[in-house]
Amino acid sequence: MVRYLITRLGQALIVVVLVTVIAFLILHLLPGGVARATLGKDATLDQLAAFNHANGYDKPWFQQYVLYLGRLLHGNFGYSYQLNQSVLEAITQRLPKTMVLSLFSTVLAIVVAIPLGVIQAVRRNRIADYTITSLSLLAYATPIFFMGLMMIILFSQKWPILPPEAPQGFTVSDVLAAPAGLVLPVVTLAIVTVATYSRYVRSSMVDNLNENYVRTARSKGLPEWRVVLVHTLRNGLFPIIGLLGMYLPALFSGALVVESLFNFPGMGQLFWQAALKRDYPILLGVTLIISIATVVGSLIADLLYAAADPRVRLRGSSS
């Protein structure tokens, strides 16, 4: 287990370094260079030269990369002249709100997907299984922006029971103060996740229902509900643990669309507005944060999986 932990930490560190290298290369491949992309097309040559000298962009590339890493380690992700604030400040203002949206949608997706996956596994190749599978594939194939538009049309216009716009505010407390406005964004973001998670739960449950320990539990006369919910489901949830860490990029891409559609003041909307304004420091800062969060999330998921699954612990101790 210790060797497995050290190996995964080393792999995560290598990936994080590669992410910073890619971000550094993208930064220097911007049209007109970093100075022109940051200061805009109206900046003079003297202003560009002063910017490059102040930020070390007139030094050799390897020195620039060392300076770039040093700035990242000190929390300096650049400065947005469009927003007139640092990139880190802009992100920290909006990241907690996106985390709330993602957390609520993920919890809702798991709460709905696990029972659906269990029902599909228990009733596999029957009407219930075919029906849920068809609905899941339909939800998975539907573009998230179309799903959000349908939610707005149905529940804000045809049946005006929910507001079409997400809660506004600068803090998480402001957002949580209007829970009705969170319903449509959370449900929209959760629908595709439900379709994905339920399929994983179904596949894992079907595999585990054919294991010897399930036959042993049934031979002891245990009720079927206990065999399914206590013995099989516990092992069937292992893939979901790993999937949670790897699903962060898809979750953020969905949040980008949902936040723009429902005017939710989070990281997705910040990224979208930065793309429209060509605010490169914001774009790179958000991309870097999401990439590192994905690596960390994957690492945490792997460690949780290793801690929960005795087979991984045995492999780690025997290697």
Side-chain angles (χ1 to χ4, degrees):
M1 180 65 182
V2 175
R3 180 171 296 182
Y4 176 81
L5 174 62
I6 295 174
T7 302
R8 289 296 293 117
L9 287 173
Q11 292 172 350
L13 181 60
I14 292 173
V15 173
V16 169
V17 172
L18 290 176
V19 167
T20 61
V21 170
I22 294 173
F24 176 78
L25 293 176
I26 292 175
L27 188 66
H28 287 73
L29 291 175
L30 294 175
V34 181
R36 179 66 69 184
T38 303
L39 299 180
K41 61 181 180 180
D42 296 327
T44 64
L45 293 178
D46 292 338
Q47 291 173 332
L48 296 177
F51 180 88
N52 287 329
H53 181 72
N55 292 275
Y57 293 131
D58 54 351
K59 300 180 183 297
W61 66 268
F62 56 89
Q63 293 184 16
Q64 292 185 40
Y65 179 69
V66 173
L67 291 173
Y68 177 70
L69 281 182
R71 288 195 294 267
L72 292 181
L73 292 175
H74 287 85
N76 183 1
F77 289 84
Y79 191 86
S80 171
Y81 289 89
Q82 299 279 355
L83 300 177
N84 196 26
Q85 63 180 161
S86 68
V87 174
L88 184 61
E89 183 182 357
I91 291 175
T92 52
Q93 286 179 355
R94 294 162 177 82
L95 180 59
K97 289 173 280 190
T98 296
M99 291 177 65
V100 168
L101 178 65
S102 301
L103 177 63
F104 286 170
S105 63
T106 302
V107 171
L108 176 62
I110 291 175
V111 170
V112 175
I114 290 177
L116 291 180
V118 172
I119 293 173
Q120 288 179 272
V122 174
R123 309 293 296 177
R124 61 185 180 279
N125 299 328
R126 299 184 185 181
I127 295 178
D129 183 23
Y130 293 143
T131 301
I132 297 175
T133 299
S134 300
L135 293 176
S136 297
L137 292 176
L138 178 63
Y140 188 80
T142 303
I144 194 168
F145 71 88
F146 181 78
M147 189 78 68
L149 287 174
M150 292 301 298
M151 290 287 181
I152 294 174
I153 292 173
L154 291 176
F155 299 105
S156 295
Q157 296 182 2
K158 186 175 181 60
W159 303 303
I161 57 179
L162 293 170
E165 187 178 57
Q168 303 299 303
F170 293 100
T171 65
V172 173
S173 300
D174 296 334
V175 172
L176 296 178
L182 282 173
V183 174
L184 291 183
V186 168
V187 172
T188 301
L189 190 57
I191 286 178
V192 177
T193 312
V194 168
T196 303
Y197 286 177
S198 64
R199 295 295 297 168
Y200 272 86
V201 173
R202 180 193 183 278
S203 299
S204 181
M205 287 288 295
V206 168
D207 291 339
N208 281 275
L209 284 173
N210 295 322
E211 294 289 338
N212 291 330
Y213 73 89
V214 174
R215 300 189 186 96
T216 302
R218 286 171 174 164
S219 66
K220 292 180 178 179
L222 294 178
E224 185 64 19
W225 67 268
R226 185 176 179 84
V227 173
V228 173
L229 298 181
V230 176
H231 296 276
T232 311
L233 182 59
R234 180 176 58 188
N235 294 324
L237 292 181
F238 286 147
I240 297 297
I241 298 176
L243 187 64
L244 285 173
M246 297 300 297
Y247 207 68
L248 281 176
L251 195 62
F252 176 73
S253 63
L256 190 154
V257 176
V258 169
E259 289 181 9
S260 301
L261 184 61
F262 291 96
N263 194 27
F264 186 84
M267 281 247 295
Q269 188 186 63
L270 174 68
F271 190 88
W272 175 251
Q273 292 175 348
L276 294 178
K277 299 176 182 179
R278 296 185 180 181
D279 193 345
Y280 296 110
I282 292 290
L283 293 175
L284 286 175
V286 173
T287 302
L288 190 61
I289 291 292
I290 295 301
S291 301
I292 294 175
T294 302
V295 174
V296 174
S298 176
L299 174 63
I300 294 175
D302 287 345
L303 296 180
L304 290 175
Y305 186 90
D309 193 344
R311 292 172 296 182
V312 177
R313 292 200 299 268
L314 289 175
R315 286 200 302 267
S317 61
S318 61
S319 60

